[in-house]
Amino acid sequence: YERSFKDGIFYIVTGGGGADLHGFPHVDLNPYSQVRIQEHHHVTLDVDCRAGTVEFNAWDTAGERIDGPVVVADGPPPKEHLYLPLVVR
């Protein structure tokens, strides 16, 4: 699990669903990293359309929060559609 922040954008790399865990061999390649955790986990994204907020949390297998809450969007909802890019590799 890794959370980075650059130019006002959060970048989340998550992949702790049960396979073997890999370390962070090239930490120097990401100077924007804020949190790195090598642990099995899952993530949640809580969207409140009325309030215009999006909150991100990461949880370990015991249900304990390991990162968050990270407020990704905070404010009144836009008049147009709100698009949240999601990249799955």
Side-chain angles (χ1 to χ4, degrees):
Y1 172 85
E2 183 174 27
R3 174 172 48 86
S4 304
F5 186 76
K6 180 182 182 224
D7 297 332
I9 299 172
F10 286 100
Y11 296 86
I12 308 292
V13 177
T14 178
D20 292 338
L21 298 173
H22 302 279
F24 300 94
H26 304 290
V27 295
D28 56 323
L29 296 178
N30 183 5
Y32 308 102
S33 180
Q34 295 180 322
V35 177
R36 288 187 184 103
I37 300 170
Q38 186 176 339
E39 188 171 340
H40 288 111
H41 64 278
H42 68 278
V43 298
T44 58
L45 190 65
D46 300 309
V47 179
D48 185 337
C49 294
R50 290 187 179 159
T53 59
V54 179
E55 184 179 280
F56 176 87
N57 291 282
W59 309 87
D60 66 14
T61 56
E64 298 293 323
R65 186 184 345 238
I66 58 174
D67 187 31
V70 176
V71 178
V72 180
D74 186 14
K79 295 183 191 259
E80 301 84 30
H81 295 342
L82 174 65
Y83 295 98
L84 297 174
L86 177 64
V87 178
V88 178
R89 294 183 185 194

